[in-house]
Amino acid sequence: MYTQIFDPVAHSVGASAAFAVLPLLCLFILLGLLRMQARWAALASLAVSLAVAVLAYGMPAGQAASGALEGAAIGFFPIIWIGINAIWLFKLTQASGHADVLRRTLARVSADQRVQAILIAFCFGALLEALAGGGAPVAICAVLLISIGVEPLKAAAVCLIADTSPVAFGALGLPITVLAKITKLPVHDISVMVGRQAPLLSLFIPLILVFIIDGRRGLKEVWPLAVVAGVSFALAQFAGSMLLPVELVDIVAALVCAAASIGFVRVWSIGTIRTDLAKSRNAVSTTGEHFAMAGGAAMAATMTGGGERMPRPGSTPAPAARIDSTGDILRALAPYGAVILVVALAQVGFIGHALGAVTSSFPWPGLHVVDPKGAAVSATGAKFEWLLSAGSIVLIAGLLSVPVLRLGAGVAVRTYIKNLHELRWAVFTVCCVVGVAYVMNLSGQIVTLGIWAAKAGPAFAPVSPILGWFATALTGSDTSANALFGMLQLTTAHHTGLSDILLTAANTSGGVVGKAISPQNLAVGAVAVGMMGREGVLFRRVVGWTVLMIAALSLLVYLQSTPVLGWMVP
């Protein structure tokens, strides 16, 4: 039996916190300063967390290793499990050629590139984030934007910024469900609180996208559509957080946003249509063109299954010669409709019960950990909902989509195996990061840091979302950030008298901003537009916007911790 001690070093919380923070410092320094590859930085951080647990906290080595294995298992299922299946779902549409149908359909709504940026990066990107996450929205939408003539650097920056506000409820609500599992707080309460924070960003993100694409001129000419898209998504996300299962919040918000935006475009006169903005401002250099044509075309072949040839960046794409039938368009949308259908069916009583019956709950082998009061630590128990998890729901939807897309079983299996191979290092990284979180939680390191941070008192409230921002920026995942800092936020709330729902939700909401500057997302964006090795250029394009967004969120969380907006906390 291991009994947690929160001040093992010289019986001092401060001295103990200096050791407890070492795994996080290791991760931050290796990723942020030394720019080590994420997988090796995560592995090094896991090694440091194990060393601190055993040497400083006195946790038996066998139990520390068992805790790391439990974290790795949770990292694979359910966390990265949804990314594996969601990206496979999209690759099925590539293999069938329906990814091109979807691109052509979106491009036909309007010839204006600023309008297309909102529809593709914000509306469609939000749907991809709701279903997949893991960088898929950035890669897919960036390729789609380049294919309609948007400058590569702008395309990547637009997609990185767009892939922020949907992240909190992304991957079928995985960040929130994992946070609830770790903290034992009600999923619905966290969902409601996040729904009163993250939508603030949604109001302004379409305006930012238009500014990136075409500066002040774009804002002057396209602001009505940007406002419609931002307000519709924000209101749908706000209402959905209270009324819908967490898995459906972003899906419904994305669909409402797309319907409202497309409907508005049908009746709104844009004035001057801009179809060739790559040459008008910040024209891509010769080197940039080379990168875009070589890398972007390669990425397009990968992401769209070798579909249509991509136009030269900076040129107006030729009108599509093919008019897709209604049946082809419906088949292109079928995989996403299948996910929504399966999620909705899972909410039906007897169906949800049947899926939930295939669940394994058991004490994790080799773990016997209690807190100082003698109560068993909740993380020692494992629960795997094999069919009811978000990733399994997407897998079921993918299996239903295979015949609809007119693909053979062999193609689907080969596509899945290839997808697993391509994601192998992403799986490894996530497993290591969640392993760090579990070791720090089980040994008591997280609680030590929470007690130490609580000395800031009520002043900690505006810092809370900043922690989520940093954690997501460095781990590349809001889910991993919640696994890393969820217990710290909870412990700090208990020691400062602040709302635990407020601080844990703030960790999630702050994390959505960090997604835009995470090394993983920057790398995905750079590869997608053919700018390999130039992630720093992308970082400089988007970091200023993330600073403004996290400042706005910090102010909101501070006001929510006071009587001014305290009524917003459920």
Side-chain angles (χ1 to χ4, degrees), residues 185 189 193 197 461 464-465 489 493 498-509 556-562 566 568-570:
L185 295 174
D189 288 351
M193 192 68 250
Q197 295 171 345
S464 182
Q489 300 276 11
L498 294 168
S499 167
D500 49 12
I501 293 293
L502 174 63
L503 295 194
T504 52
N507 194 79
T508 301
S509 300
L556 176 63
V557 172
Y558 170 70
L559 293 176
Q560 289 174 335
S561 72
T562 69
M568 297 180 71
V569 180

Side-chain angles (χ1 to χ4, degrees), residues 179 256 312 388 465 553:
L179 180 61
V256 168
R312 177 184 176 90
L388 202 55
L553 270 178

Side-chain angles (χ1 to χ4, degrees), residues 88-185:
W88 172 66
L89 186 72
F90 181 77
K91 286 181 179 292
L92 290 178
T93 67
Q94 298 167 347
S96 67
H98 287 88
D100 293 328
V101 175
L102 184 60
R103 174 181 58 79
R104 288 192 293 266
T105 301
L106 290 171
R108 279 195 201 98
V109 175
S110 172
D112 191 285
Q113 290 182 351
R114 299 162 301 183
V115 174
Q116 293 166 345
I118 292 176
L119 295 178
I120 293 175
F122 189 68
C123 300
F124 184 57
L127 181 61
L128 290 175
E129 180 62 42
L131 300 176
V138 175
I140 295 167
C141 292
V143 170
L144 292 175
L145 286 177
I146 290 179
S147 70
I148 59 174
V150 176
E151 177 189 332
L153 182 58
K154 289 181 180 180
V158 161
C159 292
L160 286 168
I161 293 296
D163 190 33
T164 51
S165 61
V167 167
F169 294 94
L172 298 182
L174 192 61
I176 291 176
T177 55
V178 167
L179 180 61
K181 181 177 181 179
I182 289 174
T183 61
K184 301 302 179 183
L185 295 174

Side-chain angles (χ1 to χ4, degrees), residues 196-262:
R196 296 173 183 178
Q197 295 171 345
L200 171 70
L201 304 177
S202 306
L203 294 172
F204 302 101
I205 285 177
L207 293 168
I208 296 174
L209 304 186
V210 172
F211 185 84
I212 293 174
I213 289 287
D214 195 28
R216 294 181 181 178
R217 181 182 65 183
L219 284 179
K220 182 179 179 180
E221 296 178 353
V222 190
W223 70 264
L225 174 61
V227 169
V228 168
V231 170
S232 61
F233 186 88
L235 289 178
Q237 195 179 56
F238 168 74
S241 68
M242 296 182 289
L243 303 174
L244 296 172
V246 68
E247 295 87 354
L248 289 178
V249 173
D250 263 359
I251 294 176
V252 171
L255 294 176
V256 168
C257 176
S261 300
I262 293 173

Side-chain angles (χ1 to χ4, degrees), residues 77-78 81-82 85 172 342 385-399:
F77 189 98
W81 177 241
I82 187 171
N85 291 304
L172 298 182
V342 177
E385 297 176 306
W386 301 113
L387 292 182
L388 202 55
S389 72
S392 297
I393 286 175
V394 175
L395 175 61
I396 293 171
L399 294 174

